[in-house]
Amino acid sequence: MEGLNNRQREAVACTEGPLLLLAGAGSGKTRVLTHRIAWLIAEKGVDPFQILAITFTNKAAQEMRHRVDRLVENGAGSVWVSTFHALCVRILRRYIHLLEYGNHFTIYDADDQKTVVKACLKRLNMDPKQYPEKMVLAEISRAKEKFIGPSEYDRNASGDYRRMQIARVYNAYQDQLKQSNALDFDDLLFKTVELFQFHPEVLEGYQERFRYIMVDEYQDTNHIQFLLIRQLASKYRNLCVVGDDDQSIYKFRGANIYNILNFENEYPEARVIKLEQNYRSTGNILKAANGVIANNQGRKAKSLWTDQGDGDKVRYSSYDSEYDEAREVVAEIASLHDRGGRPYHDFAILYRTNAQSRIFEEQLLLKNIPYRLIGGLNFYSRKEVKDLVCYLKAIDNGLDDLAVRRIVNVPKRGIGTASVDKVQAYADTYGMSLLDAMFEAFNIPELKRSAVKFEAFTNLIADFRQLLKEGASLTELYDQILERTGYWKELQAEATEEAVGRMENLTELKNKIATYEEAAETPLLSELLEEIALIADVDRLDDDEDKVVLMTLHSAKGLEFPCVYLGGMEDGLFPSRMAMYSDDEDAIEEERRLCYVGITRAKERLNLSGARRRMVNGSPCYYPVSRFVKEIPEEVLDKGGAARSVRQEAERKASKTPSGFQNMLRKPYSYGSSAAQPSFGREFKVEKTEIDYQVGDRVRHIKFGSGVVTALVEGGRDYEVTVEFDRVGVKKMFASFAKLKKEN
C-alpha cells in the first residue's frame, strides 16, 4: 500500500465481488491495478495462475507485467496479462478444433480481408461499385461485434434487399476463411464466445483458472467483449473493471459506453470507487477539462483535482488561417527547443482529423524539425515487410492461400495470374489448399511447361520448413529466405534510394524477429506471427525518439506530453459538422469527451488554437470559435492571442520576400495567380489544375520517391492527393504543389 492515496488503497483491498473503479485521467489506475494484483498474491494468498488482467494494447500489457514483476518476488510470471485478442488467440490455439478449425490457424489482417471479400463479390457476380469492399467488411465487423453470425444476419435482413445481398457475401466470406483455416480479428472474439457457448466444459475450466479478473479501459469495450467477460466472470463474480466514461471515444469502432454506465445494473452488488486525484496535469489544465466535460449529460459525476499547484493558464490563440496557425505553433516549438532547452519529444500536436496533419508537417519540414506522424502507414503494411511476413506465413500454415498467392511470383519467377488461377481451380476441384495443389503442379495438364516454375517455388518452401525441423533459429530462417529467394539481391541491384529504404525496413523486421527470439522461452514461428498480427501502431511509439509527435486525438488516448498543442478549435471542425447536425444525441457528447481526452494529455502547458478562415475543398470557409473553448472557465483561460492578426505581425516583421514553397504556404489560397485570392462580392476565374493519374496509379515525387495514389479529393481549383509512398509512408498534398509524375 506504500505510496497510494486513500481511494487507491481502498480499491486495492477490495478484492471480492464486482468492483467498478471510475479512474479519471492521470489518476494512477495502472498503479492501482498492479498493486491490486500484488495484494491478491502477497496478502490474500491467491495463486497467480488464477489472476487475469486484460488491457487494450500490447504496450499497456507489457508495462503492467513489468510493474507486477517489481512488486512481487515469486509467481508474477504466472499471471495472465493480455489484450483481448491475445487472450482469445491462446484459448483458440488450444480448443478451436472443437469448432472444426485447425489449431494452426492464420490471422488475416485488413488487406487479407479485402482480398477475400473481393473474391467473394466476383464469385457471387455482385457489383463492387454497389457493394464496396470496405462497406461490406464494416457491416460484417459490426455484425460480429454484436455476436451475429451469417445465418442470423440473413434472417434479420429479411425484406431488406441490400442487407440480404451482404448476407450472401458474409456467408461466402466465412466459408472462405474456414477453408483457408484463417480467422480475422473479429473472429478471435466471436469464436471464443462461441466456443464457450457450445462447450461449457471448456468455459468452466477457464472460470476455475481465472477466479480474479481485471479489465482496464472498460469504457472502450464493445458488446462481444462484454459477453466474453461476463462468461468468464459468471461463476465467481470477482470482476474488477477500470475505466472512465468521460474518455469513451471509440464509438465508431463499436465501443459501447453503456457497458460501464450500466455496470451496476448487470452486477447489483457491485461496489463503486472513484479515483479523482490527478498526478499528471497542473490545476488549471484540470479545471479546463472539468469545465468542458461537465456539460455532458450521459456521465457519472466526478471532478479531477491535483495538489501540484495551478501552473500556467491554458492559452487560446485565434489566427487568420490554418497556415498562420501551423506556422506560429511550429515557431513556438522551435523557440522553446532552441532557447528553452526543451527536447522535441516534449511536444505533441493534436488535431481532430488526419487531414490537418499536412500543414503542420510542411511547417515542421521548413523549420527542419524532426517529427513522428502516428497513424501513417503501419510498418507491417509496407510492401517488402508484408512480402517477407507472407513467406513466413506460407512456411507456417500451408492453408493460407492469400499469403501463397502474394509471394508465388515475388521476386518474379515467370508465374502469371492465369497459371495461379489454373492451380486454384485444381485446388477447388479436389478440396485442397493452393499450396498443396502447387506441390502437385505436374498433375495439372493445363499448366504444361509452367509446372516446373511452381516446382521451384514449392521446393523453396519445403526446404525452409526442413530448416526449422533441423533446429534453425527464426533469424537464420529469415536470412535464408532473403538469400535464396533473391529478394535481397534484387534490391541491391536496384541501387536506388527507394531500394535502400526497403532494405532498411527488412533489416528492422529482422530486428523484430531477433528481439522476439531473445524474449521467448521457446520461440515458435506461429507465435511470432501472432505477435506481429496483434501489434498496434501506437505500441510502436518510441519514447526515446527526440521528435515532435503529430497525431489525431483518437490516437493520443493513453499518452501524455509536457506540452500539448490542440489545433483546429472551431465549430464545424471540432466538434465536427457531422456531429453538430447528427440525429444521434450522443454525437456532440462523444466529441466533447474527445476534447476532454485532448486536454488531459497535457502535463504542464496546453495551447489551444483555431483559424478564422480555413480552406475546405479548395474554397475558404469561416468557422466560429469552438463551443468547447467557450466552456472552459474564464479564470483559467488566457486569450492573449485571440485578437491579434498574425498575418499583419508577420508582414511587419518580414525583412525579405519569401519565395517558392514558403510563399505558397503563406498564401494558401493562391494557386499561381493573384486572381485566385477569394474576394466576396466579385467573381474571379482560375484554371483548374490538371492531373494525369487516378486512384491506384503509381506516381513519383521528387523528394519522397515512388508510391500509390490512395485518394483524390477535388476542390474548387485543385486536387488534394493522398499517396502511400513506399519509403516514407502516407503523405497528403495539393496536386499543384506536388508535381507528381505518373509511372508506367
Side-chain angles (χ1 to χ4, degrees), residues 450-521:
S450 61
V452 71
K453 298 173 183 176
F454 284 103
E455 183 185 45
F457 172 71
T458 54
N459 283 345
L460 271 176
I461 299 298
D463 287 350
F464 293 146
R465 288 175 173 175
Q466 186 61 33
L467 275 173
L468 282 180
K469 286 182 181 178
E470 292 172 357
S473 69
L474 297 181
T475 49
E476 287 169 345
L477 171 67
Y478 182 77
D479 287 341
Q480 285 294 307
I481 295 171
L482 284 177
E483 182 181 338
R484 294 192 56 189
T485 60
Y487 204 107
W488 189 262
K489 283 185 179 178
E490 187 175 90
L491 290 174
Q492 282 180 318
E494 188 177 324
T496 62
E497 187 177 349
E498 179 183 331
V500 171
R502 290 185 171 185
M503 291 165 76
E504 289 171 352
N505 287 335
L506 291 175
T507 302
E508 184 59 28
L509 179 57
K510 183 177 178 180
N511 293 341
K512 164 64 186 174
I513 296 170
T515 302
Y516 161 76
E517 281 194 299
E518 189 177 357
E521 288 184 19

Side-chain angles (χ1 to χ4, degrees), residues 243-288:
D244 181 5
D245 51 303
D246 290 335
Q247 295 186 74
S248 180
I249 59 172
Y250 295 127
K251 186 176 182 179
F252 68 98
R253 293 182 187 169
N256 185 355
I257 191 173
Y258 294 102
N259 287 349
I260 192 167
L261 292 179
N262 295 337
F263 184 80
E264 294 145 280
N265 296 335
E266 185 70 30
Y267 299 94
E269 76 274 31
R271 188 168 173 184
V272 180
I273 299 174
K274 297 179 183 179
L275 301 181
E276 297 171 293
Q277 183 175 357
N278 178 283
Y279 294 93
R280 175 189 299 157
S281 307
T282 58
N284 283 330
I285 292 172
L286 296 180
K287 289 172 187 173

Side-chain angles (χ1 to χ4, degrees), residues 129-162:
K129 292 182 180 177
Q130 296 253 351
Y131 299 93
E133 296 151 25
K134 284 187 177 180
M135 180 276 291
V136 172
L137 278 170
E139 187 65 19
I140 291 173
S141 180
R142 280 192 289 269
K144 289 182 180 180
E145 284 173 359
K146 295 173 184 174
F147 196 51
I148 296 173
S151 299
E152 185 179 353
Y153 186 93
D154 190 29
R155 290 195 300 272
N156 295 343
S158 180
D160 185 330
Y161 179 78
R162 187 171 181 80

Side-chain angles (χ1 to χ4, degrees), residues 668-723:
Y669 43 75
S670 176
Y671 295 94
S673 168
S674 60
Q677 298 179 17
S679 176
F680 298 98
R682 66 180 177 90
E683 294 183 358
F684 56 89
K685 184 179 180 181
V686 279
E687 294 183 1
K688 177 81 177 181
T689 298
E690 294 185 0
I691 59 174
D692 64 348
Y693 46 83
Q694 298 295 328
V695 172
D697 287 344
R698 286 192 67 81
V699 293
R700 185 165 188 82
H701 186 275
I702 191 170
K703 178 176 180 181
F704 301 132
S706 296
V708 177
V709 177
T710 58
L712 275 175
V713 179
E714 185 175 350
R717 297 166 294 281
D718 206 346
Y719 295 87
E720 184 182 73
V721 188
T722 304
V723 180

